[in-house]
Amino acid sequence: MNGFGPGINGRFILEAKNNRHITDSAFRLQILYTINQIENIYWVLVSDYEDVQARQRALEQSTRLASDNRKQLQIGTLAPLDVLNADNQVSTDTQALITSQTTLEYQQLIMKQAISRDLSDPALSGAPVIPTDRVSLLEMPEERTPVEDLVQKAYANRPEIEQNILALRNDEITLRATKNNLLPSVDLYGFYGAAALGGSKSPFCSTLFFGPVACEVPTVGYGTVFTNLFNSSGPDKGAGVSVNVPLRNRTAQSLQARALLEYRQAEMRLQQLYIQVRIQVINGQYALTNDRAAVQAALAAREYNYQSYQSEVKKLRLGASTTANVLQQERNLATAENNVISTEATYAKDRASLEQLLAETLDQYGIQLSDAVKGTVTKDPIIPGLEPAKAAPEANVPGQQQQLQHTEHMPPLPVMPTQPKLTPEEQQNLPPEQNTPAPNTPPATPPQ
C-alpha cells in the first residue's frame, strides 16, 4: 500500500544520514588531495634546489677550465679559440644558473603560500625554504604486494567509492519511494465527538409561539453539561475506510522512471569507478618500480659521465685532449645530473601518488583527521621512505634570501671533487708556468 511501513515514511531521515557521511568522506578526500599537493610542491622544490647546486658546480667547472686555458694561452701551449670556447661555456652556465635561481625562488614562494596563511611578515616572506629530506630508494612494501590486495585495499579506503556507494543507497531509497507512490492508498479513519446543552429557561419564552412543551425545559447546570460530554448522552461518532486506486497516474509513473534511470546511472558510475581505481593502482605500482629503476640507471650514468669528465681533464693537462672534448664531457655530466634530479622527483611524486590512490596517506603519515577538523596539529606527522639530505654547500639564490642563507645548513647531493690530482710523473711532464704578463703585454710566442 502507498505510504505503508517505516522505511517509506523515514526515508528522508536515512537520506540525511547518508548525506552527512558523504560530506565527511568529501572532507577526507580534500585532506588527501591537499597533502598530495603539498608533497608535490615540496619535491619540485627539492629538484629546483638541487638543480641550482648542479648549475653552480657546472659554472665552477667551466670557470676553472677557462682560467686554466688562459694560463696555457699565456705560456703558449693553447690556441686562443679554445679560450673563447671556454668563455662561451662560462656565459652559458651563468645564464642557466640565473634561470635556475629564479625558478627556485619562485618555487620557495609557492611553498610558503601553501603552508602559511599570511605572507605579510617580511621575515617570513624573505626566509628561504631549505628542503632537508630526500626520498629513499629502498623498496616499498607496496611494490611486492599482490596487485589484487592493493586493489581491494583501495576499494575499502577510497573516499570516492564510499561517496558513490552512499549516493547509490540514496537513489535506491528514492526508487523505492517512487514505486510506492504507484500503489493504491487505503485510509482507515474514525472519529468520536459529544455535545451537551445547559442553562435555564428564558423568561421570554411564550407558549403562544413555541408551544407549551418548548417552555417546559428544565434548568441544567454547568456540572451536568460537563458530565454529559463524556457519558455519551449526545454522541457524534463514526468510522470508515477510504480506498484510492490510481488509474494511469502519469506523474507518478514519470517520477518512478526517472528515479530508475538515476539509479542505473549511479550503478554504472560506481562500476566505472571500480575499473578506474583498479587501473590507477596497477599503473601506480608499475610506475613506482620503473621510476626506482630509472633513478638507479641515472645515478650510474652520472657516475660514468663524472669519471669520463675527470679522465678528459687529465688528458687535457697532459696535452692528449682538447678543450672541446672537456666541454663536451662537462655538458654530458650536467645532462646526467639533470636526469638524476628529474627521475628522483618523479619517483618521489609517484610514491606519494600511490599512497593517495590507496587512501592510506593519513594512516601512513600518522595524521589525525580530528586535527584537520580543528585546524590544530597535536602530533607531528611521520613520513616513511625519507632520508636526510647529505651535507653539501647551500644553493645560492638571488635577492633578499642571500642574507639568510649563511645561517642554515643545507644538505643535498654530495659535492664531486673539483679536479683530479696529478701524479708526480704527470706533473713533471707539464710545461713550466711563467709569470702572468701585464694587461697590455701580448702573450708569449712559442719558441722556434
Side-chain angles (χ1 to χ4, degrees), residues 329-355:
Q329 291 299 331
E330 180 184 339
R331 287 190 288 268
N332 293 340
L333 177 59
T335 303
E337 287 187 343
N338 290 334
N339 290 336
V340 171
I341 294 172
S342 61
T343 52
E344 285 182 345
T346 302
Y347 175 68
K349 292 179 181 179
D350 287 341
R351 287 187 62 166
S353 177
L354 182 59
E355 294 294 341

Side-chain angles (χ1 to χ4, degrees), residues 255-316:
L255 293 177
Q256 190 269 340
R258 178 177 179 179
L260 179 61
L261 291 176
E262 291 177 351
Y263 179 75
R264 298 303 182 192
Q265 290 176 353
E267 284 185 328
M268 184 178 297
R269 285 194 299 268
L270 182 59
Q271 292 300 324
Q272 291 176 349
L273 185 58
Y274 278 133
I275 297 174
Q276 180 182 358
V277 169
R278 175 181 290 273
I279 294 176
Q280 288 177 349
V281 171
I282 294 175
N283 291 339
Q285 187 186 44
Y286 291 165
L288 197 62
T289 304
N290 295 335
D291 292 341
R292 190 161 56 85
V295 172
Q296 294 174 349
L299 291 174
R302 185 184 67 177
E303 181 64 23
Y304 168 76
N305 284 278
Y306 173 69
Q307 296 296 336
S308 299
Y309 168 74
Q310 296 289 67
S311 176
E312 205 65 36
V313 170
K314 284 186 177 181
K315 291 180 182 179
L316 179 63

Side-chain angles (χ1 to χ4, degrees), residues 10-219:
R11 68 186 184 95
F12 294 108
I13 298 177
L14 296 177
E15 290 179 354
K17 291 181 179 179
N18 291 336
N19 290 334
R20 179 177 179 180
H21 291 311
I22 290 175
T23 304
D24 294 339
S25 180
F27 178 72
R28 187 164 70 94
L29 176 63
Q30 183 62 38
I31 295 299
L32 293 174
Y33 176 78
T34 303
I35 294 175
N36 183 258
Q37 291 299 310
I38 296 297
E39 285 186 286
N40 289 338
I41 293 174
Y42 176 80
W43 293 123
V44 173
L45 175 65
V46 171
S47 63
D48 291 341
Y49 198 93
E50 292 181 346
D51 183 69
V52 170
Q53 291 183 318
R55 301 296 182 183
Q56 288 176 349
R57 290 194 294 268
L59 180 59
E60 291 174 0
Q61 293 168 356
S62 59
T63 303
R64 190 179 300 110
L65 178 62
S67 177
D68 294 342
N69 286 352
R70 285 191 177 86
K71 292 180 181 179
Q72 295 185 24
L73 177 63
Q74 292 169 1
I75 62 178
T77 60
L78 195 67
L81 184 61
D82 292 333
V83 177
L84 295 177
N85 193 6
D87 291 341
N88 180 48
Q89 186 63 35
V90 171
S91 301
T92 302
D93 292 341
T94 302
Q95 179 184 4
L97 176 60
I98 294 175
T99 303
S100 182
Q101 287 175 337
T102 305
T103 304
L104 173 61
E105 192 170 12
Y106 176 72
Q107 190 63 30
Q108 287 177 337
L109 179 61
I110 293 177
M111 173 58 73
K112 285 184 283 189
Q113 288 178 341
I115 63 177
S116 62
R117 298 181 179 179
D118 187 12
L119 291 179
S120 59
D121 187 3
L124 177 60
S125 60
V129 182
I130 301 177
T132 59
D133 292 322
R134 300 294 184 271
V135 65
S136 175
L137 296 181
L138 297 178
E139 189 177 52
M140 294 181 62
E142 288 79 6
E143 295 185 46
R144 296 302 179 185
T145 305
V147 176
E148 191 61 30
D149 294 345
L150 294 179
V151 171
Q152 295 301 324
K153 187 181 297 184
Y155 286 169
N157 297 334
R158 287 287 290 268
E160 303 97 316
I161 295 180
E162 181 184 6
Q163 295 175 29
N164 279 268
I165 291 176
L166 292 174
L168 183 62
R169 292 178 183 175
N170 285 343
D171 292 338
E172 184 179 2
I173 293 173
T174 303
L175 180 60
R176 288 202 305 264
T178 54
K179 285 183 177 180
N180 185 265
N181 292 333
L182 297 174
L183 300 177
S185 61
V186 177
D187 297 327
L188 176 64
Y189 63 90
F191 62 91
Y192 174 83
L197 297 176
S200 61
K201 181 181 66 173
S202 174
F204 301 102
C205 182
S206 175
T207 59
L208 180 61
F209 295 101
F210 300 102
V213 180
C215 295
E216 294 180 358
V217 178
T219 300

